[in-house]
Amino acid sequence: MKFRVDRDAFADAVTWTARALPARPAVPVLAGMRLEVADTASDTLRLSGFDYEVSAQASVDVHAEEAGSVLVPGRLLAEIVRTLPPHPVEFHVEGSRALLTCGNARFTLLTLPLEDYPTLPAMPRTIGSAPADVFATAVRQVLPSTSRDDTLPMLTGVHLTFRGDTILLAATDRYRIAVREMWWKPEEVDIDTSALVPARTLGDFSRSLTGGNVDIALSTSDSRGAGEGMIGFEHDGKRTTTRLIDSDFVSYESRFPTEFAAQADVPVAPLAEAVKRVALVADRSTPVRLSFTSSEVVLEAGSGDDAQALEALEVNFEGEPMRIAFNSQYFLDGLTNVETERAFLRFVAPTRPAVITGTPAKEGGKPDFRYLVMPLRLA
């Protein structure tokens, strides 16, 4: 196996594929990254990583002199390519060693037993495609609301509902719920299915998305997406697959209030900056308090002998004056993911969930992004 490749293109493909490699592999061979040139006529290098749960594949154009395949330590290769000088990379295999040359830099890597490497799963059937940049934004908006607690697998995923020409992305950690609605182009117009996707895998893939479309592939054991299944995404020569989380997702729509006692129309950036400043004096268990009146909101944090902060900001508020408190990071995760310059904060009561949305594209329309957050009790 021997090829020559552009340094930046090679580094991008290697770095992306390495994301799927386990930090502590169950067997040593899973730490490997497979590099394959199927034939010299195609001049295409395919890179693969797999840990029995998540697979990643990337393709890059090369000038191939000899076809072949090899398995090398993936994370080490990723560290090497990130530091290479700006020159073309030459790579070839001699026996049990892989030799990499870039300018005056040379590396020799010991190969891993390719015959022990597992076969990557096939891509499921494509069910549709979505604008890549919109899909990446939607994932970014809901991802902070997923849980890091593996004892409740359901909460560590993003729930995707594919219904007609709409995708609904939802996530919750029990203290907040984020929901994003977006348009896509399904293969079947009457599609109605869902999938619970591991948040980490979805986040890693979405960060690589740029322009164009992302193809979405899905296989489930039933029409609802429950049970064993797999989802795949493909974009710009990169593809990934992951097993679905085998769990039912919460029925979240009923958690959103339909009637509100008060509403604030706030500027997103100034309010977010004010919350960040005030929160500097609060520890993780101390809430940021917001007191709304008809023309302003007063933000406070700290009390008693502790450090204290106070800041006022002009807002448009409708309803009886209200004083409510939030975990500052939970509040910011909702506010900063609103895509419009102004946001609506809707309240039922100081002890009931509040809802943050952006300004709808059309008057009277539904916002694309909704974020429900539980308040903290005031002493």
Side-chain angles (χ1 to χ4, degrees):
M1 179 182 184
K2 188 175 184 180
F3 62 83
R4 183 182 177 91
V5 61
D6 175 77
R7 181 262 186 201
D8 291 341
F10 186 56
D12 177 65
V14 169
T15 302
W16 186 84
T17 306
R19 292 176 180 172
L21 300 178
R24 289 181 289 275
V27 291
V29 74
L30 294 181
M33 184 182 299
R34 179 187 172 107
L35 281 68
E36 179 182 19
V37 176
D39 57 77
T40 56
S42 65
D43 277 345
T44 299
L45 170 69
R46 297 191 184 279
L47 306 93
S48 308
F50 187 39
D51 68 353
Y52 289 115
E53 293 289 332
V54 180
S55 75
Q57 287 183 293
S59 300
V60 61
D61 294 332
V62 300
H63 176 67
E65 296 184 29
E66 296 178 15
S69 56
V70 66
L71 189 67
V72 297
R75 292 186 180 274
L76 176 58
L77 180 61
E79 291 175 2
I80 289 172
V81 298
R82 279 195 291 265
T83 65
L84 292 177
H87 299 287
V89 175
E90 295 183 0
F91 188 99
H92 70 281
V93 178
E94 293 182 356
S96 62
R97 297 175 182 272
L99 308 178
L100 185 153
T101 304
C102 181
N104 294 324
R106 299 188 179 191
F107 296 88
T108 302
L109 302 176
L110 293 177
T111 62
L112 300 170
L114 188 59
E115 62 275 11
D116 295 340
Y117 196 66
T119 301
L120 269 67
M123 195 74 164
R125 179 179 63 89
T126 299
I127 60 170
S129 62
D133 53 349
V134 178
F135 187 71
T137 298
V139 172
R140 173 180 55 79
Q141 288 175 301
V142 303
L143 211 60
S145 296
T146 57
S147 174
R148 278 66 172 171
D149 184 1
D150 291 333
T151 60
L152 289 171
M154 173 195 71
L155 303 181
T156 65
V158 174
H159 189 254
L160 305 182
T161 300
F162 306 97
R163 187 172 297 136
D165 62 358
T166 299
I167 301 178
L168 277 172
L169 299 89
T172 181
D173 61 3
R174 294 180 296 180
Y175 305 106
R176 61 258 182 88
I177 305 173
V179 181
R180 169 63 197 266
E181 182 176 325
M182 62 170 287
W183 174 89
W184 78 314
K185 185 178 181 181
E187 292 289 318
E188 300 175 3
V189 295
D190 59 347
I191 188 171
D192 189 355
T193 189
S194 61
L196 187 53
V197 186
R200 179 181 175 184
T201 304
L202 187 60
D204 284 346
F205 181 78
S206 68
R207 280 189 283 273
S208 70
L209 298 177
T210 51
N213 293 323
V214 54
D215 292 331
I216 303 172
L218 180 67
S219 63
T220 59
S221 60
D222 64 31
S223 61
R224 296 181 300 105
E228 285 291 326
M230 181 178 292
I231 194 166
F233 304 95
E234 185 167 4
H235 171 73
D236 194 27
K238 299 182 177 72
R239 63 165 58 179
T240 191
T241 66
T242 182
R243 292 181 183 274
L244 300 178
I245 297 173
D246 184 11
S247 179
D248 292 329
F249 198 64
V250 298
S251 179
Y252 58 85
E253 284 294 349
S254 61
R255 312 291 176 92
F256 282 84
T258 56
E259 296 182 358
F260 300 93
Q263 172 180 293
D265 176 359
V266 303
V268 172
L271 180 56
E273 291 302 317
V275 172
K276 292 175 186 177
R277 283 191 293 269
V278 170
L280 291 174
V281 303
D283 58 36
R284 295 185 63 180
S285 62
T286 304
V288 169
R289 304 180 296 276
L290 294 85
S291 300
F292 289 92
T293 57
S294 61
S295 60
E296 72 173 10
V297 57
V298 176
L299 298 88
E300 301 173 85
S303 61
D305 296 330
D306 298 328
Q308 299 180 45
L310 183 148
E311 183 168 345
L313 185 71
E314 289 186 4
V315 299
N316 299 320
F317 182 78
E318 299 175 6
E320 293 297 318
M322 181 169 295
R323 190 165 183 259
I324 192 166
F326 297 103
N327 174 297
S328 61
Q329 190 56 57
Y330 287 5
F331 184 76
L332 285 170
D333 285 341
L335 186 64
T336 57
N337 275 307
V338 169
E339 293 186 276
T340 53
E341 292 185 359
R342 301 190 70 85
F344 289 119
L345 312 182
R346 293 183 170 93
F347 309 101
V348 177
T351 57
R352 298 283 302 280
V355 177
I356 302 174
T357 67
T359 305
K362 297 180 181 178
E363 186 175 350
K366 289 174 54 180
D368 293 334
F369 175 65
R370 294 173 290 152
Y371 183 87
L372 178 147
V373 58
M374 290 293 298
L376 299 176
R377 289 188 177 276
L378 289 165

